[in-house]
């Protein structure tokens, strides 16, 4: 049967952001509509990726970029505390 209590992607994104607005959320969707991507970004998604043959490569690049940014933020915070 259909579970009517299941959240859609935007609702899930909103719930994650309520728990911790700093968590970067990447939305992976089969919907290739700009309106959906814009709506996700307005709900504070970090990025929006359409499922395709190349989506895995794109996800790898986004996650690597996020990791690098977080690493730089930690280093910068450490240096700022030393000054």
């Amino acid at each position: 049967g259909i579970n009517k209590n299941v959240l859609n992607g935007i609702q899930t994104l909103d719930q994650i952001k309520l728990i911790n607005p700093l968590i970067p959320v990447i939305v992976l969707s089969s919907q290739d509509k700009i309106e959906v991507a814009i709506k996700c970004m307005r709900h504070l998604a970090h990025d929006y990726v359409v499922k395709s043959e190349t989506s895995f490569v794109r996800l790898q690049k986004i996650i690597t970029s996020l990791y690098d940014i977080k690493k730089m933020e930690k280093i910068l915070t450490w240096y700022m505390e030393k000054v």
Side-chain angles (χ1 to χ4, degrees):
I2 296 175
N3 184 348
K4 295 183 182 189
N5 295 324
V6 174
L7 300 176
N8 69 29
I10 296 290
Q11 293 168 328
T12 302
L13 174 59
D14 289 342
Q15 289 297 312
I16 293 168
K17 291 298 184 173
L18 276 175
I19 294 167
N20 185 344
L22 299 178
I23 294 175
V25 178
I26 304 164
V27 177
L28 179 63
S29 176
S30 60
Q31 295 189 42
D32 191 8
K33 297 178 183 173
I34 192 70
E35 300 84 19
V36 177
I38 291 170
K39 188 172 185 179
C40 287
M41 300 311 280
R42 286 188 176 145
H43 284 257
L44 304 178
H46 177 79
D47 212 328
Y48 184 88
V49 177
V50 178
K51 292 177 188 176
S52 70
E53 300 82 34
T54 61
S55 58
F56 181 73
V57 173
R58 179 123 191 265
L59 282 169
Q60 280 184 309
K61 288 180 181 181
I62 294 166
I63 292 167
T64 300
S65 160
L66 277 169
Y67 175 78
D68 291 342
I69 290 168
K70 292 296 178 191
K71 188 174 171 183
M72 284 187 274
E73 286 174 348
K74 277 186 175 182
I75 293 169
L76 182 59
T77 300
W78 184 84
Y79 278 115
M80 293 303 289
E81 289 174 355
K82 298 293 179 191
V83 175

